[in-house]
Amino acid sequence: MLAAISERLSDVVGFERIAEDIYVRGYSILTDVLPVELAESLYTHNQSMSQAIFEKAGIGRSDEHQQNQSIRRDEICWIDGYTPTGQMWLSFCAELQKYLNRRLLLGLHSFESHFAHYKPGMFYKRHYDAFKGSTNRILSLVTYLNKNWHESDGGHLVLYQNDEDTTGIKVLPTHGTLVVFLSEIFPHEVLPANRDRYSIAGWFRVNGTHGGVIDPPR
Ligand code: OGA
Ligand code: MN
């Protein structure tokens, strides 16, 4: 009971730090806010997942869905709530969504996320997760499942401040690191790594319509 309460309190402290970061600079990079139990569970789940259930990632949505190997070279697996780990992850993200809505009035309405696997040498070129007005992805979230990862392993996420920025902020994809940023504001890329690189990428969305029909989930 006490443990559960203190864990919830520490979640809230972490959520508040994310909210402040988003409010002040539009992004948050924190290595100590993901609950350890959740990070471990995601790590183990990812390790045990069969390669066969990863699919080659595509660019664009539903009918425009196409694979573009010159832009991205990862394999993905969408996360549903059918496993205890998936449930724990989705409820953590739902709590974060609720907190950010209350604190920043973002009106976030749903969340989607997938595991991603980048084999050595694979990358995701500089891109936006959302373009102004043409999508309903508001907030991007990434977390990493790589233990003992060093600078020399590469695979950094590079978060750029704007279109002119060519330096960016380099984030090492180490286990438990959580990155959250405004999807329309920050172009970013994934540099090639020399080891297998595992992550989870997710997006909080607002409700919208697409071509006159209610927006499909993905
Ligand atoms: C993405 C993405 C970043 C990362 O999947 O859109 O930018 O560090 N991922 O894995
Ligand atoms: Mn992205």
Side-chain angles (χ1 to χ4, degrees):
M1 177 72 180
L2 259 185
I5 291 172
S6 64
E7 192 170 298
R8 277 208 297 275
L9 276 177
S10 65
D11 279 3
V12 168
V13 172
F15 292 165
E16 178 55 24
R17 287 167 62 207
I18 296 169
E20 282 206 25
D21 282 348
I22 299 292
Y23 183 77
V24 172
R25 53 180 90 92
Y27 68 86
S28 179
I29 302 166
L30 296 170
T31 55
D32 57 354
V33 295
L34 202 65
V36 173
E37 190 199 349
L38 175 58
E40 278 307 314
S41 183
L42 291 168
Y43 179 83
T44 309
H45 187 75
N46 182 66
Q47 294 270 314
S48 68
M49 259 190 321
S50 150
Q51 263 325 112
I53 60 179
F54 274 96
E55 55 187 78
K56 278 256 182 297
I59 292 176
R61 13 186 333 140
S62 50
D63 48 337
E64 309 143 30
H65 191 90
Q66 53 169 203
Q67 287 171 28
N68 191 334
Q69 302 247 319
S70 65
I71 298 177
R72 71 184 292 184
R73 279 291 198 92
D74 59 336
E75 294 167 341
I76 64 167
C77 176
W78 291 94
I79 302 177
D80 54 42
Y82 297 132
T83 64
T85 304
Q87 253 165 39
M88 204 194 310
W89 168 248
L90 292 180
S91 66
F92 173 80
C93 294
E95 285 304 312
L96 176 60
Q97 173 180 319
K98 235 192 298 179
Y99 191 91
L100 295 177
N101 278 345
R102 222 180 284 140
R103 183 70 168 70
L104 303 175
L105 308 177
L106 289 175
L108 305 174
H109 159 95
S110 64
F111 179 72
E112 58 187 354
S113 63
H114 61 60
F115 286 98
H117 172 210
Y118 293 71
K119 290 183 179 151
M122 293 185 176
F123 52 81
Y124 194 164
K125 291 253 166 86
R126 186 171 170 141
H127 65 281
Y128 283 95
D129 285 347
F131 291 98
K132 283 198 175 66
S134 69
T135 177
N136 48 16
R137 284 180 173 178
I138 298 296
L139 204 60
S140 301
L141 172 154
V142 195
T143 191
Y144 302 102
L145 307 166
N146 310 297
K147 293 191 177 178
N148 304 313
W149 194 275
H150 306 288
E151 276 295 324
S152 57
D153 293 322
H156 297 80
L157 165 69
V158 190
L159 200 62
Y160 299 99
Q161 299 290 323
N162 50 50
D163 282 338
E164 287 70 49
D165 184 5
T166 52
T167 314
I169 302 160
K170 284 178 114 185
V171 184
L172 208 59
T174 52
H175 184 62
T177 295
L178 186 71
V179 181
V180 184
F181 58 92
L182 292 167
S183 309
E184 291 180 353
I185 304 293
F186 298 95
H188 55 282
E189 72 177 309
V190 178
L191 302 179
N194 46 41
R195 284 173 56 185
D196 288 285
R197 176 194 194 271
Y198 296 96
S199 61
I200 295 174
W203 297 273
F204 293 101
R205 302 160 40 135
V206 290
N207 205 5
T209 54
H210 205 71
V213 292
I214 296 294
D215 207 27
R218 65 180 78 129

Coordinates of all heavy atoms in Angstrom, one line a residue, residues 4 18 52 55 57 76 79 94 96 98 112 115-116 125 129 140 167-168 187 197 208 216-217:
A4 N 2.9 1.5 -3.1 CA 2.1 1.9 -4.2 C 1.9 3.4 -4.2 O 2.0 4.1 -5.2 CB 0.7 1.2 -4.2
I18 N 8.4 16.8 -16.5 CA 8.2 16.7 -18.0 C 7.3 17.9 -18.4 O 7.6 18.6 -19.4 CB 7.5 15.4 -18.4 CG1 8.4 14.2 -18.1 CG2 7.0 15.4 -19.9 CD1 7.7 12.8 -18.2
A52 N 9.8 -12.2 -35.7 CA 8.8 -12.3 -36.7 C 7.7 -11.3 -36.6 O 7.0 -11.0 -37.5 CB 8.3 -13.7 -36.7
E55 N 7.5 -5.6 -38.1 CA 7.3 -5.5 -39.5 C 8.1 -4.3 -40.0 O 8.4 -3.4 -39.2 CB 5.8 -5.2 -39.7 CG 5.3 -4.0 -38.9 CD 3.8 -3.8 -39.0 OE1 3.0 -4.5 -38.4 OE2 3.4 -2.9 -39.8
A57 N 9.0 -0.9 -41.1 CA 8.3 0.4 -40.8 C 8.0 1.1 -42.1 O 8.8 1.1 -43.0 CB 9.1 1.3 -39.9
I76 N 9.2 -2.3 -36.8 CA 8.3 -1.9 -35.7 C 7.3 -3.0 -35.3 O 6.9 -3.8 -36.1 CB 7.6 -0.6 -36.0 CG1 6.6 -0.7 -37.1 CG2 8.6 0.5 -36.2 CD1 5.6 0.4 -37.3
I79 N 2.1 -1.5 -30.0 CA 1.9 -2.0 -28.6 C 0.4 -1.9 -28.3 O -0.3 -0.9 -28.5 CB 2.6 -1.1 -27.6 CG1 4.1 -1.2 -27.9 CG2 2.3 -1.7 -26.2 CD1 4.9 -0.3 -26.9
A94 N -1.2 6.8 -20.2 CA -2.5 7.4 -20.0 C -2.4 8.4 -18.8 O -3.1 9.5 -18.9 CB -3.5 6.4 -19.8
L96 N 0.3 10.0 -17.8 CA 1.0 11.2 -18.3 C 0.2 12.1 -19.1 O 0.2 13.3 -19.0 CB 2.3 10.7 -19.1 CG 3.1 11.8 -19.7 CD1 3.7 12.7 -18.7 CD2 4.3 11.1 -20.5
K98 N -3.1 12.4 -19.0 CA -4.0 13.1 -18.1 C -3.3 14.3 -17.4 O -3.9 15.4 -17.3 CB -4.6 12.1 -17.0 CG -6.1 12.0 -17.0 CD -6.6 11.3 -15.8 CE -6.1 9.8 -15.7 NZ -6.6 9.1 -14.5
E112 N -0.7 6.3 -29.3 CA -0.4 5.1 -30.0 C 1.1 5.0 -29.9 O 1.9 5.9 -29.8 CB -0.8 5.2 -31.5 CG -0.1 6.5 -32.1 CD -0.6 6.7 -33.6 OE1 -1.4 5.9 -34.1 OE2 -0.2 7.8 -34.1
F115 N 7.1 -0.6 -30.5 CA 8.5 -1.0 -30.3 C 9.2 -0.8 -31.7 O 8.6 -0.9 -32.7 CB 8.6 -2.5 -30.0 CG 8.2 -2.8 -28.6 CD1 7.0 -3.4 -28.3 CD2 9.1 -2.7 -27.5 CE1 6.6 -3.7 -27.0 CE2 8.7 -3.0 -26.2 CZ 7.5 -3.5 -26.0
A116 N 10.5 -0.4 -31.6 CA 11.2 -0.3 -32.9 C 12.6 -0.9 -32.7 O 13.2 -0.8 -31.6 CB 11.4 1.2 -33.3
K125 N 16.4 9.1 -41.1 CA 16.8 10.5 -41.5 C 16.0 11.6 -40.9 O 14.9 11.4 -40.5 CB 16.8 10.6 -43.0 CG 17.8 9.7 -43.8 CD 18.9 10.5 -44.4 CE 20.1 9.7 -44.8 NZ 19.9 9.1 -46.1
D129 N 7.6 14.5 -36.9 CA 6.6 13.5 -36.7 C 5.2 14.0 -37.1 O 4.3 13.2 -37.3 CB 6.5 13.0 -35.2 CG 7.7 12.1 -34.9 OD1 8.4 11.6 -35.8 OD2 7.9 12.0 -33.6
S140 N 5.4 13.9 -29.2 CA 6.1 12.6 -29.5 C 6.8 12.2 -28.2 O 7.2 13.0 -27.4 CB 7.2 12.8 -30.5 OG 6.6 13.3 -31.7
T167 N 23.2 21.5 -35.6 CA 23.9 20.9 -34.5 C 23.1 19.9 -33.7 O 23.4 18.7 -33.6 CB 24.5 21.9 -33.6 OG1 25.1 23.0 -34.4 CG2 25.5 21.3 -32.7
G168 N 22.0 20.4 -33.2 CA 21.0 19.6 -32.5 C 21.5 19.2 -31.1 O 22.7 19.5 -30.7
P187 N 12.4 19.0 -35.7 CA 12.9 17.9 -36.6 C 13.9 17.1 -35.8 O 14.6 17.6 -34.9 CB 13.5 18.7 -37.7 CG 13.7 20.1 -37.2 CD 12.9 20.3 -36.0
R197 N 19.7 -1.6 -31.9 CA 19.1 -0.5 -31.1 C 17.6 -0.7 -30.9 O 16.9 -0.8 -31.9 CB 19.4 0.8 -31.8 CG 18.9 2.0 -31.2 CD 19.0 3.2 -32.2 NE 18.8 4.5 -31.7 CZ 17.6 5.1 -31.6 NH1 16.5 4.5 -31.9 NH2 17.6 6.3 -31.1
G208 N -9.4 14.5 -34.5 CA -9.5 15.3 -35.7 C -10.2 14.5 -36.7 O -10.5 13.4 -36.6
P216 N -8.8 7.8 -38.4 CA -8.6 6.4 -38.0 C -7.4 6.4 -37.0 O -6.6 7.4 -37.0 CB -8.1 5.7 -39.3 CG -7.6 6.8 -40.2 CD -8.4 8.1 -39.8
P217 N -7.3 5.4 -36.2 CA -6.3 5.4 -35.1 C -4.9 5.5 -35.6 O -4.0 6.0 -34.9 CB -6.5 4.1 -34.4 CG -7.4 3.3 -35.2 CD -8.2 4.2 -36.1

